[in-house]
């Protein structure tokens, strides 16, 4: 493992130990977005809101934070209940958040 990868791994482990993760990683690893670049694009458009405030992709989130975003034609609001720390399967990812509200544009 190269020095850069070792430092990134230590930083990631430190964030998880204190219950923190970047919103772009969280949404991607929780299978709510297909890629971190899509999270970044949505955040630049102001479409990702954490605890009532629009955020950048680098925003640090913690357990209990409420996150609202658009997914397809639906607007979702979730509560973070677990930080994944790495890419997870879709089945595992369902346990990382609790859906608080789901609204459709057709309503």
């Amino acid at each position: 493992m190269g020095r850069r990868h070792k430092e990134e791994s230590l930083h990631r482990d430190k964030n998880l130990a204190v219950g923190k993760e970047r919103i772009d990683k969280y949404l991607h690893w929780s299978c709510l977005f297909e890629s971190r670049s899509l999270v970044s694009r949505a955040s630049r458009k102001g479409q990702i809101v954490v605890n009532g405030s629009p955020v950048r992709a680098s925003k640090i989130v913690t357990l209990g934070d409420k996150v609202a975003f658009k997914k397809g034609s639906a607007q979702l609001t979730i509560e973070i209940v677990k930080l994944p720390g790495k890419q997870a399967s879709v089945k595992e990812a369902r346990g990382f958040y609790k859906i608080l509200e789901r609204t459709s544009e057709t309503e």
Side-chain angles (χ1 to χ4, degrees), residues 3-107:
R3 180 180 173 171
R4 180 174 178 222
H5 294 292
K6 195 173 198 176
E7 288 173 1
E8 287 175 359
S9 177
L10 290 173
H11 181 69
R12 182 180 67 240
D13 294 342
K14 180 181 172 188
N15 275 345
L16 281 176
V18 294
K20 298 178 181 179
E21 191 58 76
R22 286 174 53 121
I23 188 68
D24 59 341
K25 289 182 179 182
Y26 177 82
L27 291 173
H28 174 56
W29 290 345
S30 297
C31 302
L32 294 166
F33 277 79
E34 291 180 14
S35 69
R36 287 176 60 193
S37 63
L38 290 176
V39 177
S40 181
R41 187 176 305 147
S43 69
R44 282 195 304 269
K45 293 179 181 178
Q47 296 175 341
I48 298 178
V49 176
V50 175
N51 298 327
S53 300
V55 297
R56 294 173 55 166
S58 60
K59 168 73 174 166
I60 300 294
V61 292
T62 60
L63 298 176
D65 281 349
K66 311 254 183 319
V67 182
F69 58 93
K70 191 173 183 177
K71 176 116 170 126
S73 64
Q75 177 74 28
L76 288 174
T77 302
I78 63 166
E79 179 179 352
I80 297 173
V81 296
K82 184 177 179 186
L83 297 173
K86 63 179 183 168
Q87 183 69 44
S89 70
V90 173
K91 189 175 180 179
E92 286 178 307
R94 290 186 193 126
F96 298 154
Y97 56 90
K98 178 171 64 171
I99 296 177
L100 301 175
E101 185 178 0
R102 181 190 310 243
T103 58
S104 176
E105 284 184 358
T106 59
E107 292 180 358

